[in-house]
Amino acid sequence: MNITLNEKAPVISKKSITVSAPVNVVWEVLTDINSWPAWQKNVTKSELQGELREGAVFKWKADGIFFKSKIHTNKENALFGWTGKTWGAYAVHNWFFSKNGDFTIVKAEESLQGVLPYLFKSYFQKNLNTGMEMQLHELKQASERKYNQLLNPAK
């Protein structure tokens, strides 16, 4: 990763999930930033400015909060990460993809720092843990649905 998790941040979450789809399919779902609202319940807007590459900026809205993020790592089918800012908080979010037979193991981690996460640590920790679990489950569902569509195209 070009930017690693801040292990000293007041709020940190690390989660993983196994997906019944190849790495390239899971990668395509996650990195199609403009399509996030189609499979993430809490994301209502998402727009990548330019092409998917390190240094690219994207703006998105989740749970009614606007974020401005910048991709810091983009290693196809292996590593993907971004930093994000909103009022009173700064986040580092990293994704790791690995193949395990016919499955993909996805690991996600995020550190959250700033005035608000420091002052309201337990609130932010609970929300981050819940949100990350939901995001991983939604990624799993969207990736498996896409893979099934590739295997069984509509006639």
Side-chain angles (χ1 to χ4, degrees), residues 73-118:
T73 302
N74 183 28
K75 304 215 181 312
E76 190 171 354
N77 299 328
L79 305 170
F80 190 65
W82 67 81
T83 57
K85 292 181 183 178
T86 192
W87 189 86
Y90 172 80
V92 175
H93 199 119
N94 294 327
W95 296 82
F96 305 84
F97 302 83
S98 59
K99 182 180 177 179
N100 184 3
D102 293 334
F103 302 96
T104 299
I105 308 297
V106 180
K107 294 179 184 176
E109 61 181 24
E110 183 170 340
S111 59
L112 194 54
Q113 61 197 55
V115 173
L116 293 178
Y118 178 78

Side-chain angles (χ1 to χ4, degrees), residues 8-11 88-89 112-122 124:
K8 295 181 180 179
V11 178
L112 194 54
Q113 61 197 55
V115 173
L116 293 178
Y118 178 78
L119 292 175
F120 303 103
K121 180 179 177 175
S122 62
F124 277 85

Side-chain angles (χ1 to χ4, degrees), residues 38-99:
W39 60 270
Q40 292 186 70
K41 178 181 148 191
N42 294 337
V43 177
T44 55
K45 184 176 183 174
S46 186
E47 182 181 349
L48 175 64
Q49 298 174 348
E51 57 186 63
L52 187 74
R53 60 172 178 73
E54 291 176 7
V57 171
F58 62 98
K59 295 179 181 179
W60 53 298
K61 183 179 180 183
D63 293 323
I65 301 169
F66 283 98
F67 300 90
K68 182 177 181 181
S69 296
K70 185 175 183 179
I71 298 169
H72 65 73
T73 302
N74 183 28
K75 304 215 181 312
E76 190 171 354
N77 299 328
L79 305 170
F80 190 65
W82 67 81
T83 57
K85 292 181 183 178
T86 192
W87 189 86
Y90 172 80
V92 175
H93 199 119
N94 294 327
W95 296 82
F96 305 84
F97 302 83
S98 59
K99 182 180 177 179

